[in-house]
Amino acid sequence: PKVFFANERTFLSWLNFAIVLGSLALGLLNFGDRTGRIAGAVFTVISMMVMVYALMLFQWRAERIRRREAGPYDDRVGPTVLVVVLIAAVVLNFYLKINSSF
């Protein structure tokens, strides 16, 4: 049972991050200018992708735990991809903001 709960805690942690990112996106969509709305849409898509990814990872781990498969359950690719995508979104936001001022 301990491993099942650890998997669930990890899933809830990913969802917590996705909700915070989605809240930021919602604020940008509602109160931002044109650039803010574009960035809000990008962050909304990223937030939804994080939610789907978290669910898929949770299901994959739960199935492996149920089958009592040995091996690492860690994820080395997901967090790296998330950081790269978030940095790209922030760079896009800065680029659009700088170009809109000229």
Side-chain angles (χ1 to χ4, degrees), residues 40-55:
V42 170
F43 285 131
T44 300
V45 170
I46 293 171
S47 176
M48 292 187 323
M49 287 177 14
V50 168
M51 287 183 198
V52 169
Y53 173 75
L55 180 63

Side-chain angles (χ1 to χ4, degrees), residues 3-72:
V3 180
F4 287 108
F5 293 138
N7 187 28
E8 188 174 337
R9 277 193 309 271
T10 304
F11 174 63
L12 292 175
S13 177
W14 276 100
L15 286 184
N16 184 27
F17 173 75
I19 288 171
V20 168
L21 187 62
S23 300
L24 170 76
L26 188 64
L28 285 170
L29 284 171
N30 285 329
F31 304 112
D33 55 353
R34 179 181 175 276
T35 304
R37 285 192 296 273
I38 292 171
V42 170
F43 285 131
T44 300
V45 170
I46 293 171
S47 176
M48 292 187 323
M49 287 177 14
V50 168
M51 287 183 198
V52 169
Y53 173 75
L55 180 63
M56 289 173 40
L57 189 62
F58 174 76
Q59 294 292 339
W60 175 76
R61 283 181 179 154
E63 186 61 31
R64 288 187 64 167
I65 292 168
R66 239 180 260 116
R67 287 192 224 143
R68 297 183 184 268
E69 291 184 18

